[in-house]
Amino acid sequence: MSATLRFDNIGKVFPGVRALDGVSFEVEAGQVHGLMGENGAGKSTLLKILGGEYQPDSGRIMMDGQEVRFPTAAASIAAGVAVIHQELQYVPDLTVTENLLLGRLPNAFGWVDKRGAKRFVRERLAQMGVDLDPNARLGKLSIAQRQMVEICKALLRNARVIALDEPTSSLSHRETEVLFKLVRELQADGRALIYISHRMDEIYELCTACTIFRDGRKVASHPSLAEVTRETMVKEMVGREISDIYGYRTRKQGDVRLAVDAVEGHGLSAPASFNVRAGEIVGFFGLVGAGRSELMQLVYGAEKRHGGHLTLDGAPADDVKSPTQAIRRGIVLCPEDRKEEGIVAMASVSENINISCRRHYLRAGLFLNRAKEAETADRFIKLLKIKTPSRRQKIRLLSGGNQQKAILSRWLAEPDLKVVILDEPTRGIDVGAKHEIYNVIYELAERGCAVVMVSSELPEVLGVSDRIVVMREGRISGELARSEASEPALLELALPQGGREAREAA
């Protein structure tokens, strides 16, 4: 029987929030069904219901014409469902093999067959075209490699229904091509696939149908994307027209605010030098593993510098050797991995916003001014349109885009902000939230901050930056003014010289 999935009038309510309201649509066997909507629209909640993590308050799920219930994740898996979540779920101290076969490692008489497990994983990874070391520990891998492990974990279960939530948000060009190949093979094999992405190019390239969510409701379904314009889909998602998502605007630039001179350290193959002026937005582009994040960690003091110098507003800043010292000097960083390095998951939205600036709210150096913290949290929740029932909500319950806005609020609340480093600030974020975050970036620059933005998305780097620095294999390979920059020019600087495979992957 063909693997057909139907959501019938699904509803889900959390305290103060109606996450899903009467959602109905179906996914046929051999179909890649796109799911689009702003962060907080209910897409991930629906997948958690499908995966057995949440229970619906109303409605039902049908598979092959029969109603199914998934009280646990194990029940969902047993029914042939595999869900790949945007927020990765892995055990960092276990190997690739152990993570892929977690809960079903081959054994004989109670003893795990480690050789057999590694052999099986190595063979299956080779069949899928995925380059991963079965013996590597997950905690030592890059975010992109961990993402591939999560994808492979679902594929190894041989599921009939597969849902992917922002699967390419951390992947390189080459890894994305591998994923697309796997998706097409699964489609040809008659699987039913749900594909969530904020990247419209991916939706149009992979999906045969699409459903649009807004505020927990289905607002549109398109059985064919052939005659649906991107402008129509954006308007359906956000409820308004956005003619230019980037909205670039010029501004006055001042003197050099931050100068990085011949910095050396982990992740770099050569000393790195660059500068950024007050009021300037400098984009950093490169392939995954080019060393961009590592360079920013060195500047921020999160990793030890082995050489070079920092200058802030013309004065030496070599004393910046830790994030605490960087923050006190007015240098802040929004990290790439917001789940592991950005948010305090068990704390509230208010606590996450105030965690840095609360040192300014101490009374007599000992007592927190709770009223001031509440005022700050409420101000930025309103300013950045953070979707949360209250400032007291646990931040882990917010969507990825709203978590990112809370991290931005944390630094906007700093009174003496000079340099803002944003590492993949819109990863996994919808088009409407991206537009809002770009406006925040422009506002930071307009008030005199020096902004450094690391991004793997070429259109984003080209759309937002005043100047673009390109990295390749751990070193800076070039720099282009906005007027000189183009996709071919940036890729030429980013791709390994003579690297035919990398060129094909791009």
Side-chain angles (χ1 to χ4, degrees), residues 8 146-147 171 176 182 185 200 215 247-248 280 287 292 307 314 345 367 386 392 432 434 465-466 476:
D8 185 15
R146 295 176 210 168
Q147 181 84 58
L171 300 186
T176 298
L182 292 172
E185 289 174 354
M200 286 200 181
D215 298 328
Y248 176 81
E280 185 181 27
L287 304 181
R292 299 161 303 159
F367 304 102
I386 300 173
R392 301 180 185 85
K434 281 185 177 182
S465 308
D466 300 310
I476 292 175

Side-chain angles (χ1 to χ4, degrees), residues 481-493:
R482 180 181 179 86
S483 59
E484 304 170 324
S486 65
E487 291 199 17
L490 292 180
L491 283 172
E492 186 65 29
L493 289 169

Side-chain angles (χ1 to χ4, degrees), residues 337-349:
D337 190 341
R338 60 175 169 260
K339 180 181 178 182
E340 295 292 332
E341 301 173 350
I343 64 169
V344 181
M346 298 306 295
S348 69
V349 174

Side-chain angles (χ1 to χ4, degrees), residues 4-5 15 17 137 164 218 236 249 253 274 290 297 319 337-338 378 412 472 491:
T4 302
L5 171 70
V17 178
R137 294 197 179 278
L164 303 96
K218 183 190 80 172
E236 289 171 344
R249 52 195 194 234
Q253 295 180 19
F274 71 93
Q297 295 281 347
D319 58 321
D337 190 341
R338 60 175 169 260
D378 288 342
L412 289 171
R472 178 179 67 217
L491 283 172

Side-chain angles (χ1 to χ4, degrees), residues 11-25:
K12 182 65 180 177
V13 178
F14 296 107
V17 178
R18 182 172 290 278
L20 293 171
D21 186 3
V23 170
S24 299
F25 69 95

Side-chain angles (χ1 to χ4, degrees), residues 265-306:
H266 172 71
L268 300 183
S269 60
S273 300
F274 71 93
N275 65 64
V276 54
R277 295 177 175 275
E280 185 181 27
I281 302 169
V282 174
F284 266 74
F285 177 72
L287 304 181
V288 173
R292 299 161 303 159
S293 296
E294 290 81 357
L295 175 56
M296 299 308 147
Q297 295 281 347
L298 292 167
V299 172
Y300 187 56
E303 293 288 344
K304 184 178 179 180
R305 296 189 299 274
H306 300 313

Side-chain angles (χ1 to χ4, degrees), residues 6 35 89 123 140 174 214 231:
R6 176 170 175 77
L35 202 56
Q89 300 175 344
E123 290 173 354
K140 300 293 185 182
R174 183 176 182 80
R214 187 168 74 239
E231 291 75 16

